[in-house]
Structures are given as structure tokens and as C-alpha cells.
Amino acid sequence: KGVTLISGVPLDTDELGKLARQLKTKCGSGGTVKDHVIEIQGDHCVAVMEELKKLGWVVKRSGG
């Protein structure tokens, strides 16, 4: 099992939590926010990137 990590999002803790809930719902998966990084259970990189782009964020992929 993998984990999709979303970092570098310039939001406060409450807004980051709201975004995390939205992404978890989109992916149909669990997850959490730790140390200002959103963690979504499973490999949902493409779905997360598409959703963030729809929300107007500039997105880039790093790592594997």
C-alpha cells in the first residue's frame, strides 16, 4: 500500500483540514494531516493532482 503526500500548501491548519477531507472524499480513501502535510492512503497521485488543479492550485509531482 502506498500513501499520497501533499505538501507545500499555503493554508492554515483549519483550511488544510478542509482540503484534506475534500481530497479523501474524492479518492474514497482515508488519510490525515501531519506536520502540515496531507496524507491520503493509497496511490491517488493523478486524482489528487487533477482535483487540486480544478481548485486553481499550481501542482507539480515530485518523487516516484
Side-chain angles (χ1 to χ4, degrees):
K1 293 182 181 179
V3 175
T4 303
L5 303 174
I6 301 98
S7 62
V9 182
L11 295 175
D12 64 33
T13 303
D14 289 340
E15 291 297 315
L16 198 63
K18 290 177 186 176
L19 178 60
R21 283 190 294 279
Q22 184 176 353
L23 294 173
K24 290 189 299 183
T25 299
K26 175 72 177 177
C27 296
S29 186
T32 189
V33 177
K34 291 183 186 173
D35 299 324
H36 217 74
V37 175
I38 299 172
E39 298 181 5
I40 306 293
Q41 295 173 353
D43 182 7
H44 299 286
C45 187
V46 173
V48 167
M49 289 177 69
E50 288 175 1
E51 188 67 16
L52 291 172
K53 286 177 185 177
K54 286 181 190 175
L55 295 172
W57 292 96
V58 175
V59 180
K60 64 180 178 180
R61 184 176 180 160
S62 64

